[in-house]
Amino acid sequence: MTSTSTPSANSLREAMVREVVANRAHVGVPLSPAVEKALAQVPREAFLPGLDLKEVYTDQAVVTKRDNKRGVALSSVSAPTVIALMLDRADIRPGHRVLEIGSGGYNAALISELVGADGQVTSIDIDAEVIDRAHRCLVGAGYTDVHLGVADGEYGFADRAPFDRIVITAGAWDVPAAWAEQLVPGGRLVVPKRIRGLTRCLTLEHHGQGLWSALAQDMCGFVRITGAGEHWEQMPYLNDTDGRRVGLRLEDGPDVDVQPLREALIQEPTTVWAEVLIAYDEATDAQDLWLATVIDDWALLTADPGAVKAKIVKPTWNHGTPALIAADGASFAYRTLRRHPDLENRWQFGAIGHGPSGPDAAQQLCALMEEWDRHHRGGPGPDITLVPAHTPDDQLPSGRVVNKRHTRMVLHWATTP
Ligand SMILES: C[S@@+](CC[C@H](N)C(=O)[O-])C[C@H]1O[C@@H](n2cnc3c(N)ncnc32)[C@H](O)[C@@H]1O
């Protein structure tokens, strides 16, 4: 495919590709030459008409449709770094038949470059407006052989199956049976998957009979899947003053009685410090997933910036900080962080407990962070297996079981000595 863009778009695109290559090298997962070539070839401006070229070639997602009532993004053209990672993980080869669930046009064009003339790209979206837009953009950029369809991705797209690869570009709570049925044996599914409120991009290999294992797990963020697979977790507020909200995200977690926890929040908290240090810019995602695996009564604490400013809570991240609900149902603890009092450039994890057994809960959370530090820090992530929902307990591998509608997901961490 030949780009008809202006030289300035070309040079901005080259700079963006260099940035994506550098980002990937920085995290130790180099970009493959095939994906680099595709990124260099697809004119992103054709998928973001009207947007300033500098914005087009900034490595960020651009929201193209928003639900103004809920204040959430419904559709976007994804960030090149994220897309590049997913395409690499998918290992898309010339001649492959690929299904993309969640359209925008840009990613479909990249896939089209990767599969070449002998391959086949199908891109579906639940939203007809998104497909209309993707159609206009793809045709405008010269990608006329991408097959577009308006359909709920929960059911895959049987008319064009089987697929060698399925790439999901919306956040999924579960993996429906259709995705397994429509993949060739040994095919790969790349899916941003929600696990107890955290999202990880899983690269899953299908072993037949609805049995999947993860080949890789990466950080990513996507708009939620809607339609039959849509799933909303409980998100009660512990403080609902406008601009100072504090909430709990209880996905795949316990059912809680909110009132005692609301009362706990206004009681004097207890802070406990753990012997676990990090650098300021160090990611916490590995610890987050481990804590989500080992804590039964798991929650993520969320806070408006105003709640942090007013010192109602001091979480490590406003959008979702690891927390545990105590057995009394009237206390909880969440993770916090402070600049280490003695060590330069080091930060120290701690836990803040609220409620009658808040101090114990904070101690417990610190003890878990210390266990992670001793046995899991720097190690590989968990082995992740998915089996059909009807699989009995005695046939599951060992590990934390997270039950979904169609599957049971098992996370198993090997202990590093
Ligand atoms: C992040 S956007 C896709 C970005 C796109 N792949 C690109 O090229 O940059 C996510 C899309 O998923 C779509 N979506 C959400 N739920 C869906 C479902 N059940 N089936 C198909 N599409 C869905 C949304 O309408 C939205 O357009």
Side-chain angles (χ1 to χ4, degrees):
M1 202 70 45
T2 313
S3 158
T4 53
S5 320
T6 62
S8 107
N10 288 340
S11 57
L12 288 167
R13 191 176 317 119
E14 281 164 19
M16 182 199 77
V17 175
R18 281 197 298 276
E19 190 186 337
V20 174
V21 170
N23 286 345
R24 293 289 305 281
H26 181 71
V27 294
V29 193
L31 188 67
S32 71
V35 174
E36 182 177 342
K37 191 169 163 215
L39 281 177
Q41 245 148 5
V42 175
R44 197 170 187 243
E45 66 275 24
F47 300 92
L48 292 166
L51 193 67
D52 178 74
L53 274 181
K54 269 201 178 148
E55 295 277 319
V56 166
Y57 285 109
T58 303
D59 184 15
Q60 63 185 7
V62 179
V63 174
T64 50
K65 190 167 177 180
R66 195 176 276 285
D67 175 347
N68 288 324
K69 268 197 204 142
R70 271 185 166 160
V72 292
L74 291 175
S75 192
S76 61
V77 169
S78 307
T81 289
V82 177
I83 281 190
L85 173 75
M86 293 176 81
L87 295 179
D88 254 348
R89 292 299 194 202
D91 188 25
I92 296 170
R93 311 265 178 92
H96 270 169
R97 300 161 63 100
V98 181
L99 172 65
E100 179 194 38
I101 297 180
S103 295
Y106 180 56
N107 195 35
L110 293 167
I111 297 172
S112 174
E113 293 287 351
L114 290 169
V115 301
D118 297 333
Q120 207 177 81
V121 187
T122 304
S123 178
I124 63 168
D125 203 286
I126 199 162
D127 185 333
E129 267 179 34
V130 173
I131 288 296
D132 279 353
R133 184 185 180 284
H135 175 72
R136 281 194 307 277
C137 296
L138 281 162
V139 170
Y143 294 92
T144 49
D145 50 7
V146 171
H147 184 94
L148 292 166
V150 179
D152 185 342
E154 173 84 356
Y155 310 105
F157 201 70
D159 288 359
R160 302 259 294 177
F163 304 104
D164 299 291
R165 302 289 186 255
I166 300 181
V167 179
I168 316 293
T169 62
W173 180 68
D174 200 0
V175 172
W179 299 353
E181 287 157 12
Q182 294 175 21
L183 260 185
V184 299
R188 272 190 198 186
L189 165 70
V190 179
V191 54
K193 179 92 168 56
R194 298 215 312 276
I195 310 165
R196 308 198 93 193
L198 305 171
T199 301
R200 296 291 180 271
C201 178
L202 299 185
T203 302
L204 295 171
E205 188 174 14
H206 187 227
H207 303 287
Q209 316 273 319
L211 176 66
W212 302 87
S213 62
L215 302 172
Q217 44 199 284
D218 301 285
M219 287 297 287
C220 69
F222 272 92
V223 304
R224 248 168 228 268
I225 273 200
T226 56
E230 182 166 344
H231 182 270
W232 285 88
E233 61 275 27
Q234 280 188 62
M235 291 189 281
Y237 287 128
L238 303 185
N239 178 51
D240 56 10
T241 314
D242 208 16
R244 293 182 172 193
R245 290 200 172 92
V246 176
L248 290 176
R249 178 170 301 153
L250 297 160
E251 188 171 69
D252 311 315
D255 284 329
V256 300
D257 180 2
V258 188
Q259 195 47 36
L261 297 174
R262 292 178 134 237
E263 284 158 22
L265 181 67
I266 51 179
Q267 287 162 29
E268 195 56 34
T270 303
T271 305
V272 178
W273 295 104
E275 292 303 321
V276 185
L277 307 183
I278 59 161
Y280 181 70
D281 58 354
E282 207 174 316
T284 63
D285 52 291
Q287 191 195 91
D288 295 355
L289 188 57
W290 189 75
L291 291 172
T293 308
V294 296
I295 296 174
D296 288 336
D297 289 331
W298 161 259
L300 286 166
L301 183 121
T302 60
D304 284 345
V308 178
K309 208 167 165 208
K311 299 197 167 68
I312 299 171
V313 283
K314 298 175 190 162
T316 51
W317 196 49
N318 291 5
H319 299 287
T321 289
L324 67 83
I325 313 293
D328 65 4
S331 314
F332 65 96
Y334 65 91
R335 189 175 66 194
T336 192
L337 193 66
R338 69 170 175 184
R339 190 188 288 276
H340 194 278
D342 307 318
L343 302 171
E344 213 178 310
N345 297 328
R346 304 301 286 165
W347 289 68
Q348 183 175 22
F349 284 117
I352 297 181
H354 285 263
S357 48
D360 287 347
Q363 287 284 3
Q364 194 189 339
L365 187 50
C366 283
L368 288 172
M369 288 189 270
E370 287 168 355
E371 188 181 340
W372 167 80
D373 192 50
R374 279 196 303 276
H375 300 299
H376 301 283
R377 190 172 190 160
D383 294 328
I384 299 181
T385 310
L386 272 73
V387 298
H390 56 74
T391 308
D393 286 353
D394 62 2
Q395 286 174 28
L396 292 177
S398 67
R400 156 73 54 188
V401 180
V402 184
N403 291 317
K404 308 275 183 174
R405 195 177 305 142
H406 303 284
T407 58
R408 306 188 77 183
M409 181 179 203
V410 186
L411 296 98
H412 173 81
W413 294 74
T415 302
T416 44

